[in-house]
Amino acid sequence: MIVTFSGEEAAPADLIAETEVLYREVAVELTAALQGIRLGKADEVKTAMQAVKDLRAALQMVMDERTRVEKLRKNVAGVVRDYAIDFDAARDEIGRRLARLRAAGGG
């Protein structure tokens, strides 16, 4: 799901924050519905059930977005299969091997 603000794609962190706001709002609605049920208002059951469904959906969105953000962070950091690739060390090792090849070739 891609949410845009002002015509631009939203950053994943923004989506997480917005989803957490929604999560809190639905939790407040659920609490109010539960209080109504305790007071004997049977019509609040439908409201409570809908709030629970909304809360589950919001939580799932937060978890999915956090997973995407973590994957993006790993990709940016060069993490492959839980291992970070040290490009500086790789470049140094390639340089050392090329130097040895040059020295062995007499060039």
Side-chain angles (χ1 to χ4, degrees), residues 12 49 59 85 107:
M49 293 302 294
L59 179 58
I85 299 171

Side-chain angles (χ1 to χ4, degrees), residues 5 8 17 19 25 43 46 48 65 69 77 84 88 92 94 96 100 105 107:
F5 299 100
E8 296 179 7
T19 304
E25 289 172 356
D43 59 327
K46 185 176 179 181
E65 197 57 38
V69 168
D88 291 331
D92 291 344
I94 291 168
R96 281 192 292 276
R100 279 190 234 136

Side-chain angles (χ1 to χ4, degrees), residues 37-83:
I37 291 169
R38 288 186 189 115
L39 295 174
K41 297 180 182 177
D43 59 327
E44 294 293 326
V45 173
K46 185 176 179 181
T47 303
M49 293 302 294
Q50 187 59 46
V52 168
K53 288 178 185 177
D54 292 346
L55 196 56
R56 282 188 186 133
L59 179 58
Q60 186 63 49
M61 285 174 36
V62 168
M63 299 306 290
D64 291 345
E65 197 57 38
R66 284 188 175 158
T67 300
R68 283 189 209 109
V69 168
E70 188 59 33
K71 184 177 178 182
L72 179 62
R73 284 184 185 145
K74 285 182 177 182
N75 287 342
V76 169
V79 175
V80 178
R81 294 191 180 110
D82 295 328
Y83 293 101

